[in-house]
Amino acid sequence: MSKGIVLVVDDEADMRRLIRMYLEKEGYACVEAEDGQVALDLLKSHTFDLIILDVMMPKVDGLTLLMKVREHSSVPIIFLTARGDEWDRVYGLKLGADDYIVKPFSPNELIARVDAVLRRANPSVRDEEETLSFGPIQLNIKGRQVYLEGELINLTLKEYELLLFFCRHTGQALSREQLLENVWGFDYVGGVRTVDTHIKTLRLKLKSHGSLIQTVWGIGYKFEV
């Protein structure tokens, strides 16, 4: 069962494809629109749970589309901006956007923001379980905290995101490329050895349970409880 239908509006085909891939992996259904006019036409005949909207587009730009949508709909909208476009972000929020994501972004950030916006828009939707347990490891999702046998351990943001991704894919052999793309983002400029470095420090912080992160020779790593 789909978690919701998302309209992805962006004039860059690669960006639409990546957003769609990330969302579908988490259980969302996606419809793509290559510009604001196509999006307007789709909105006349389809109902969406959320819109992800790029600001800079031909024909009808994102801010104009946002204003047009808000004339008749309160559908949640997250818009995409370039890193330095603070004015667009502030103006978009004033026009009625629910949130924004700055490019480049990580898959985890995208999913977290989509989930959060939909929870706020539909309070009847049950929140993600606050605490997840995997053997001796407990993750407080809302607090972004990790406990090892009941004791809080200090992880960096990337270590936390890496562990959370492992836990959500328990038993799966994951390549370094998969981990890099899903935790750091598709446009991260560092190499796959970044993954090895973070796994090394994560294993140390998990102490005697570091062996839960297993090396799969010729592939990458696997988290096995």
Side-chain angles (χ1 to χ4, degrees), residues 128-173:
E128 180 179 17
E129 191 174 353
E130 185 172 346
T131 303
L132 300 177
S133 296
F134 301 88
I137 300 170
Q138 296 82 43
L139 292 92
N140 182 322
I141 303 299
K142 291 182 179 179
R144 290 201 170 196
Q145 295 172 314
V146 177
Y147 294 84
L148 184 65
E149 296 183 334
E151 181 180 344
L152 180 66
I153 59 175
N154 183 29
L155 300 184
T156 66
L157 176 59
K158 279 291 175 267
E159 288 167 352
Y160 169 83
E161 291 179 342
L162 183 60
L163 179 59
L164 180 59
F165 188 77
F166 271 129
C167 289
R168 285 176 168 166
H169 298 82
T170 301
Q172 297 182 30

Side-chain angles (χ1 to χ4, degrees):
M1 181 178 178
S2 170
K3 292 169 64 176
I5 305 175
V6 180
L7 176 61
V8 181
V9 190
D10 196 302
D11 60 320
E12 296 182 17
D14 286 345
M15 180 61 68
R16 294 197 309 271
R17 178 183 61 81
L18 285 162
I19 292 174
R20 181 173 192 154
M21 179 180 68
Y22 296 151
L23 290 174
E24 288 182 344
K25 187 181 297 184
E26 295 297 322
Y28 290 97
C30 293
V31 176
E32 298 181 30
E34 62 266 29
D35 60 52
Q37 186 57 57
V38 172
L40 285 173
D41 294 340
L42 285 168
L43 287 164
K44 292 176 183 177
S45 55
H46 296 75
T47 299
F48 300 98
D49 296 293
L50 181 138
I51 301 173
I52 295 178
L53 176 60
D54 188 33
V55 173
M56 299 300 295
M57 293 186 297
K59 298 182 181 179
V60 179
D61 65 75
L63 294 174
T64 300
L65 178 59
L66 174 59
M67 288 188 287
K68 289 181 178 292
V69 171
R70 283 291 174 257
E71 290 175 1
H72 58 80
S73 174
S74 59
V75 59
I77 295 176
I78 299 175
F79 67 102
L80 305 175
T81 71
R83 182 165 296 279
D85 296 338
E86 181 180 358
W87 184 88
D88 283 344
R89 298 199 293 273
V90 173
Y91 189 50
L93 292 171
K94 287 182 177 179
L95 289 177
D98 296 270
D99 202 352
Y100 66 86
I101 300 176
V102 177
K103 299 177 183 178
F105 51 85
S106 73
N108 284 333
E109 179 186 9
L110 173 68
I111 298 304
R113 289 185 181 275
V114 168
D115 287 345
V117 167
L118 286 174
R119 282 198 300 268
R120 292 198 300 267
N122 186 5
S124 64
V125 175
R126 183 182 177 185
D127 283 355
E128 180 179 17
E129 191 174 353
E130 185 172 346
T131 303
L132 300 177
S133 296
F134 301 88
I137 300 170
Q138 296 82 43
L139 292 92
N140 182 322
I141 303 299
K142 291 182 179 179
R144 290 201 170 196
Q145 295 172 314
V146 177
Y147 294 84
L148 184 65
E149 296 183 334
E151 181 180 344
L152 180 66
I153 59 175
N154 183 29
L155 300 184
T156 66
L157 176 59
K158 279 291 175 267
E159 288 167 352
Y160 169 83
E161 291 179 342
L162 183 60
L163 179 59
L164 180 59
F165 188 77
F166 271 129
C167 289
R168 285 176 168 166
H169 298 82
T170 301
Q172 297 182 30
L174 303 166
S175 70
R176 291 176 175 83
E177 290 77 13
Q178 282 178 291
L179 293 168
L180 194 67
E181 179 178 314
N182 284 278
V183 177
W184 280 264
F186 70 93
D187 53 0
Y188 178 71
V189 295
V192 293
R193 290 303 169 192
T194 296
V195 175
D196 295 333
T197 300
H198 280 76
I199 285 177
K200 181 179 180 180
T201 59
L202 183 55
R203 281 171 166 167
L204 289 172
K205 291 181 179 181
L206 293 177
K207 302 177 182 178
S208 62
H209 300 292
S211 58
L212 293 174
I213 303 175
Q214 303 173 10
T215 299
V216 182
W217 300 109
I219 299 177
Y221 298 95
K222 176 173 66 172
F223 182 79
E224 194 80 75
V225 177

